[in-house]
Amino acid sequence: MIWNRALAGLAALAMLTACVPTSGSAPLPNAKLAGGEIVVAGPRGYCVDPVTLSRGASRSFAVLASCDILSGSEEGTFVEPMMVTITVGPRLQSPAIPAPEALAAEAGQPFVSGSARDGLATALLGDGGSEVLDNGDRRYWRGAFVENGHLIGLALYAPEGSRLVGRDGAEMLSRVHREIMRLSPDLAPAQG
């Protein structure tokens, strides 16, 4: 499903956690996905890892992480370490945002807490984060929203014990959501 692409970034995660620059590829402030219909970016201090970009016809994928870490300390300043995966599904006429509990069920992980507000559903999952991020907390966040007819899935992974595994993680997903909404073009609804 939409979340399976997150595993495609595992090789890039090894680079992130080891603080190794991405083989001469400078981190990007933003990236166009889904044929330019979605523009992904992170809050200040976070960049798109160009190594992880996948701009497929039906699905697109990107990873956000610290610009400082991605560049091998050549760009950016220190920000809270984390990684957010972004998966953009195909453009549909009326995609639905899943409920927070459904985000956990789809991932096959225990639901801890969540909310749905301002067009974004978020869920804190009780397990699975350490399987994706070395030295990661077992808990991680998932989010989903719709922009320009695309269902967009988010997953936030943070180091063990990070404040981003708590309530601050939901706020970080909200900040990523707002950046994508702000930067993406306004398109007419998809025709079915």
Side-chain angles (χ1 to χ4, degrees):
M1 191 90 192
I2 195 168
W3 309 108
N4 292 340
R5 289 293 301 208
L7 297 179
L10 286 177
L13 297 182
M15 288 186 283
L16 293 176
T17 57
C19 299
V20 174
T22 56
S23 62
S25 299
L28 306 170
N30 61 59
K32 292 181 179 179
L33 300 180
E37 294 181 350
I38 303 296
V39 180
V40 298
R44 185 182 188 117
Y46 297 95
C47 292
V48 176
D49 180 358
V51 174
T52 64
L53 283 177
S54 171
R55 296 177 173 137
S58 64
R59 296 204 190 283
S60 299
F61 180 81
V63 170
L64 292 175
S66 160
C67 302
D68 181 56
I69 290 173
L70 288 173
S71 69
S73 298
E74 292 181 16
E75 294 180 30
T77 58
F78 177 81
V79 291
E80 187 84 19
M82 65 142 196
M83 181 191 72
V84 173
T85 62
I86 303 168
T87 305
V88 180
R91 192 166 195 225
L92 302 172
Q93 186 172 3
S94 299
I97 301 169
E101 295 83 0
L103 292 172
E106 184 177 290
Q109 300 297 344
F111 176 75
V112 176
S113 66
S115 69
R117 73 179 125 226
D118 300 324
L120 173 69
T122 58
L124 177 61
L125 282 59
D127 205 4
S130 57
E131 296 170 14
V132 174
L133 186 65
D134 288 342
N135 299 313
D137 200 291
R138 62 183 177 77
R139 299 165 295 160
Y140 72 106
W141 286 93
R142 290 221 177 208
F145 64 99
V146 172
E147 173 64 356
N148 288 332
H150 296 273
L151 180 60
I152 300 173
L154 307 173
L156 184 152
Y157 304 93
E160 189 171 359
S162 169
R163 63 185 183 87
L164 291 174
V165 178
R167 185 171 296 169
D168 289 348
E171 175 54 29
M172 180 60 76
L173 287 184
S174 181
R175 290 171 64 195
V176 171
H177 167 243
R178 289 191 303 265
E179 270 304 287
I180 293 171
M181 299 290 284
R182 182 180 73 81
L183 293 172
S184 295
D186 290 326
L187 300 177
Q191 300 300 312

